[in-house]
Amino acid sequence: MALDPLGYLSILVTAVLFALLVVALMISLGLYARSYKEAQGYMSPLMLVMLVPILFLQFSDFLRLQDWYFALPFVNVVLALDALVKGTATAIQLGLTWLSTLAYAGLALYLAYLSFQREDVVFRN
């Protein structure tokens, strides 16, 4: 693996955007939990869903990857990181990954914002 500084920067941007998406989803889901155990019950399926793209990556050599795959949530980050490490990433694929991940994170944060506007969610016992 021989990456240039731009490759490392691309990996960093992809990882930070993915972390933003995961945190935004956790905030959105965690708002509805009344206890730590209930929050854990909400987060466990989310973690399992995030493992599916890694399984998908095992078969990526047998598939002809199209650019629209880079717009799918969670799958896009795994495919983009794989393409960056292999040196086959294009600007369209990276841009699509970054924009879609940012859009999904923005949507999750907006849902959390709407939930915070409701008093029954914020002040529940």
Side-chain angles (χ1 to χ4, degrees):
M1 181 172 94
L3 291 173
D4 58 346
L6 190 59
Y8 285 114
L9 181 64
S10 299
I11 288 176
L12 178 69
V13 169
T14 305
V16 167
L17 288 174
F18 182 66
L20 176 69
L21 173 63
V22 171
V23 168
L25 284 172
M26 287 183 165
I27 289 172
S28 296
L29 286 176
L31 281 173
Y32 295 101
R34 295 179 190 207
S35 67
Y36 175 75
K37 282 186 169 185
E38 191 176 347
Q40 183 103 18
Y42 292 157
M43 298 303 158
S44 296
L46 177 66
M47 296 301 151
L48 290 175
V49 167
M50 286 191 293
L51 289 176
V52 171
I54 296 171
L55 297 173
F56 177 74
L57 184 62
Q58 292 179 351
F59 302 106
S60 67
D61 292 336
F62 301 112
L63 299 172
R64 182 167 181 214
L65 292 179
Q66 299 175 7
D67 288 341
W68 66 270
Y69 290 158
F70 290 84
L72 298 174
F74 302 120
V75 174
N76 59 0
V77 172
V78 174
L79 289 176
L81 290 175
D82 183 53
L84 282 168
V85 169
K86 289 180 179 177
T88 60
T90 64
I92 293 172
Q93 292 171 343
L94 288 178
L96 197 55
T97 299
W98 294 343
L99 288 176
S100 63
T101 303
L102 191 61
Y104 295 133
L107 180 64
L109 281 176
Y110 182 69
L111 291 175
Y113 170 76
L114 291 178
S115 295
F116 273 116
Q117 299 301 315
R118 295 179 24 215
E119 289 183 11
D120 60 328
V121 172
V122 177
F123 296 114
R124 96 171 97 166
N125 294 330

